[in-house]
C-alpha cells in the first residue's frame, strides 16, 4: 500500500534561510506525488506535483521538490524563506489502480522567524 | 460556481444528533473527495467518487458515516448519531479527472463540525 510520511510536525527557519520539508513515500510502483499548502484560514491548494515527467519539479512561490527513487523521497525546498511562506504543508500520494485515491501525510507546520 | 462550495461552514450539534454536510464541486469535475481534518492533524481520507463508478468508501470510519453523490454534481456526507470524536473540519475536493493521474484537487473551505 502506498503512504507518505512527513518528518517533523513543525519546522522553524529564519527569513532568508533554506526551507527543507521532508516527505518519504512507500510504494511498489512509481507513484504520483504532490505537495499541498494550507495558508492560515484558507483552503488547501496545490503547490506542485510529480507525475514522472521530470524528477525535479518546480512549483509556485519558488518552491521545488526532487523525486529520488533510491531514497523514496520527495522533499520540498525553497532557497530563501519569506514571511509569507508560513503555512501548513502536506505531502500526498496517489493510490489505487489509476492513482486516484489521494492519501495525505500528517502535515508540517512551517514558521518563519524575522 | 467558480470553486468548490461547502455548507454549512460551521455546525454545532449535540451528541447523538444526525448532521448533513453538503459539497458543490466545480462544474464538470468528475471526481469528488471527502476528507476529515481533526484539530492539529493531517487529512484523513473518507470517500472518493469518480463519475458513475462505485465509490471508494474504504476511509469511512464507521457505519454512522455515509455519503452520496448524484451524478457528477452535489455530494452529501451524513453522520448519524454524532459523537464528540466526530468534531473536525470536513473537507471536500473535486478534480477534472482521477486526481492521482494528472488532475489537481480543488478544495473547498470546509465544514467545521463541533459535537457537544
Amino acid at each position: 500500500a502506498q503512504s507518505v510520511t512527513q518528518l517533523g510536525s513543525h519546522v522553524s527557519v529564519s527569513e532568508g534561510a533554506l526551507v527543507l520539508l521532508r516527505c518519504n513515500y512507500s510504494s511498489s510502483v512509481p507513484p504520483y506525488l504532490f505537495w499541498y499548502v494550507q495558508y492560515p484560514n484558507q483552503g488547501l491548494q496545490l503547490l506542485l506535483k510529480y507525475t514522472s515527467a521530470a524528477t525535479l519539479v518546480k512549483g509556485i512561490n519558488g518552491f521545488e521538490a526532487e523525486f529520488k527513487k533510491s531514497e523514496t523521497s520527495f522533499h520540498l525546498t525553497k532557497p530563501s524563506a519569506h514571511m509569507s511562506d508560513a503555512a501548513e504543508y502536506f505531502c500526498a500520494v496517489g493510490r489505487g489502480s489509476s492513482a486516484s485515491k489521494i492519501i495525505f501525510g500528517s502535515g508540517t507546520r512551517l514558521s518563519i522567524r524575522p | 460556481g467558480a470553486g468548490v462550495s461547502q455548507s454549512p461552514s460551521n455546525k454545532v450539534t449535540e451528541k447523538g444528533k444526525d448532521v448533513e454536510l453538503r459539497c458543490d464541486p466545480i462544474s464538470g469535475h468528475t471526481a469528488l473527495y471527502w476528507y476529515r481534518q481533526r484539530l492539529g492533524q493531517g487529512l484523513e481520507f473518507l470517500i472518493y467518487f469518480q463519475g458513475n463508478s462505485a465509490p471508494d468508501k474504504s476511509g469511512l470510519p464507521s457505519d454512522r458515516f455515509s455519503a452520496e453523490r448524484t451524478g457528477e454534481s452535489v455530494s452529501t456526507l451524513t453522520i448519524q448519531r454524532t459523537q464528540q470524536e466526530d468534531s473536525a473540519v470536513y473537507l471536500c475536493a473535486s478534480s477534472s479527472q482521477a486526481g492521482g493521474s494528472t488532475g489537481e484537487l480543488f478544495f473547498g473551505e470546509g465544514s467545521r463540525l463541533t459535537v457537544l
Side-chain angles (χ1 to χ4, degrees):
Chain A
Q2 297 182 29
S3 65
V4 288
T5 302
Q6 292 185 244
L7 297 177
S9 60
H10 185 207
V11 170
S12 180
V13 303
S14 297
E15 189 174 18
L18 171 71
V19 175
L20 171 61
L21 305 182
R22 300 178 185 275
C23 173
N24 287 88
Y25 66 92
S26 62
S27 172
S28 58
V29 297
Y32 293 103
L33 292 162
F34 309 82
W35 276 98
Y36 280 80
V37 59
Q38 186 175 32
Y39 295 106
N41 301 315
Q42 295 185 30
L44 278 85
Q45 58 182 285
L46 182 68
L47 200 55
L48 50 80
K49 63 184 178 184
Y50 168 75
T51 56
S52 78
T55 56
L56 183 62
V57 182
K58 293 187 182 297
I60 61 173
N61 301 334
F63 283 92
E64 62 183 35
E66 185 173 8
F67 172 71
K68 291 187 177 180
K69 185 177 179 180
S70 61
E71 299 177 6
T72 60
S73 69
F74 190 58
H75 300 333
L76 182 71
T77 60
K78 181 173 180 177
S80 177
H82 191 273
M83 296 299 291
S84 61
D85 294 327
E88 187 91 19
Y89 292 81
F90 295 93
C91 184
V93 65
R95 286 178 57 180
S97 59
S98 58
S100 54
K101 182 174 175 179
I102 310 300
I103 303 300
F104 285 79
S106 56
T108 298
R109 180 168 299 279
L110 176 64
S111 299
I112 310 297
R113 303 188 300 271
Chain B
V4 177
S5 177
Q6 292 188 245
S7 61
S9 56
N10 276 287
K11 175 71 176 180
V12 180
T13 190
E14 294 179 349
K15 178 181 174 181
K17 300 285 188 180
D18 297 351
V19 297
E20 282 191 354
L21 307 177
R22 176 188 169 104
C23 174
D24 274 286
I26 292 172
S27 178
H29 279 192
T30 58
L32 186 146
Y33 300 75
W34 282 99
Y35 293 88
R36 178 170 70 180
Q37 186 176 26
R38 289 192 169 117
L39 185 64
Q41 298 186 22
L43 277 72
E44 178 185 0
F45 171 82
L46 296 179
I47 188 169
Y48 159 67
F49 296 90
Q50 173 61 45
N52 293 318
S53 302
D56 181 337
K57 303 180 180 181
S58 59
L60 293 179
S62 76
D63 59 6
R64 296 187 295 106
F65 287 72
S66 63
E68 293 184 350
R69 187 183 187 194
T70 306
E72 296 182 353
S73 61
V74 171
S75 175
T76 302
L77 177 68
T78 302
I79 308 173
Q80 296 178 310
R81 306 181 302 282
T82 53
Q83 303 294 314
Q84 289 184 334
E85 62 262 28
D86 299 334
S87 296
V89 176
Y90 290 82
L91 293 167
C92 177
S94 69
S95 175
S96 60
Q97 55 189 295
S101 55
T102 57
E104 170 184 351
L105 297 188
F106 291 84
F107 282 84
E109 296 196 354
S111 291
R112 181 178 299 277
L113 174 65
T114 302
V115 182
L116 301 176

